[in-house]
Amino acid sequence: MTRTAGVRMVTRCAPGVSGCMVIAGALFLLCGCATGGPAALPLWQLPSLQYQGRETGVDELAARAPTPRLLDVDEAMQAFVQRYAGDASSSRQRLLSLHRAISGTATLGIEYDPAAEGSASQAFRSQQANCLSYANLFIALAREAGLDARYQWVDVRPTWTRMGERVAVRLHVNAVVHLNRRDRFMVDLDPLPARDITGSMEISDTDARALYHSNIAMDALADERLEEAWLHAMRALQLSPQMSHLWVNMGVVYRWSGQYDAAETAYSQALAIDDHERSAMNNLMVLYGLQGREKERAYWEARVERYRDTNPYYHAWLGDQAAEEGDWRGALVHYRDALALSPEDPELLFGLGVIYRELGELKAALRYVGEARDHASLMSRRKRYELEYEQLSQRRLAAH
């Protein structure tokens, strides 16, 4: 199936805010968000992998988990940029011309394939990419065109299971192009719905290389190729040891190999970097359950529940469930709870406005949709909110 890449403008330069979905407590693809915090645990303190009578150590990394040059541009790629963006006089024109050429079926016509890992040149030759390899391709070509293109980590609104027991997390990377101090464009092969984006953070080229290895590690783990998974998870940590999710992934590899002490160390390091790392909490629950350490398991279960109950998107999810059943009063209660926890979130404000619209309370609906519009930083969001505001205004005028 062909997906059309999208370009969205973000104004005001503040982070405005597809994805690969996994279940927290299992493993992560495209994990990231480099964060500050304590110094990462020295990797030499992590033991070698012990699996099926074989020991795999860091001395095998160079040969078995080499890091490719993800952004190298060959002569064919240079010619492509020159042909489709070389005559454009402004950076905006170069960006739009390049984007049309990459996404257009008559030119390059990149198709979405969730398994299509690889470098920019591999994506260019195969004309297939997932979200990370598409970012590699676009950034490489954009930089060749003289544009300020960077990787961007996108935070995605989590969802819970029907009983609220486990959280499903989609993790995503795309490209962002800075045209000037005010305007920047997000470029995406498989754009997420605006309502699902809760934040963003630019990450370095090194972080992107770490994500490349992390994806290979998790694919290998899913196929029970534990040696390959360990090697690439370790290489990812060597590149970006401050990414908390990478420590969770390493912990999962150790848990699958039965090295429970090493798994606990990795999960604990993830929490030392980010004490709200929900997947590390879930994984510690699983680990302590396997070991029969009920007191520790109960502690982390309580932590997970507290995280859930203080997460605005959990309450919004409950509101969405109520709305699906036609219980708009129940949805109103849940969305009020969500907004109390995150009062300036434009999607929560907009959701509350929609609920009031369905309840026939148009004055309140106008208020919250208007506030959503005022807080939106994505132009696509603002246009959607403005259209809803105009329609509500017309309905209210007609009612009077």
Side-chain angles (χ1 to χ4, degrees), residues 258-266 287 291 293:
Q259 294 174 259
Y260 291 166
D261 288 347
E264 182 178 11
T265 296
L287 179 65
Q291 294 177 297
R293 296 164 62 179

Side-chain angles (χ1 to χ4, degrees), residues 51-83:
Y51 184 64
Q52 293 184 339
R54 172 177 162 78
E55 179 175 341
T56 304
V58 293
D59 57 322
E60 299 181 49
L61 284 177
R64 299 181 62 186
T67 302
R69 299 173 66 89
L70 297 180
L71 297 177
D72 276 3
V73 176
D74 59 27
E75 290 184 1
M77 297 166 74
Q78 292 171 344
F80 180 88
V81 172
Q82 182 60 35
R83 177 179 181 182

Side-chain angles (χ1 to χ4, degrees), residues 48-165:
S48 299
L49 179 73
Q50 307 289 335
Y51 184 64
Q52 293 184 339
R54 172 177 162 78
E55 179 175 341
T56 304
V58 293
D59 57 322
E60 299 181 49
L61 284 177
R64 299 181 62 186
T67 302
R69 299 173 66 89
L70 297 180
L71 297 177
D72 276 3
V73 176
D74 59 27
E75 290 184 1
M77 297 166 74
Q78 292 171 344
F80 180 88
V81 172
Q82 182 60 35
R83 177 179 181 182
Y84 292 106
D87 294 334
S89 57
S90 71
S91 58
R92 183 184 294 261
Q93 289 175 327
R94 288 199 302 277
L95 168 62
L96 296 178
S97 296
L98 186 63
H99 175 259
R100 285 193 296 267
I102 294 173
S103 59
T105 55
T107 48
L108 192 57
I110 294 291
E111 294 185 2
Y112 178 77
D113 179 353
E117 294 290 350
S119 65
S121 60
Q122 288 172 317
F124 185 84
R125 290 194 303 271
S126 68
Q127 297 180 289
Q128 294 182 322
N130 65 8
C131 44
L132 180 58
S133 56
Y134 183 80
N136 295 335
L137 174 63
F138 196 91
I139 289 169
L141 295 180
R143 290 180 182 177
E144 179 67 22
L147 297 170
D148 181 7
R150 313 174 194 179
Y151 292 97
Q152 180 174 248
W153 166 259
V154 180
D155 290 323
V156 186
R157 177 175 176 169
T159 58
W160 276 258
T161 63
R162 188 71 182 178
M163 298 303 294
E165 297 164 345

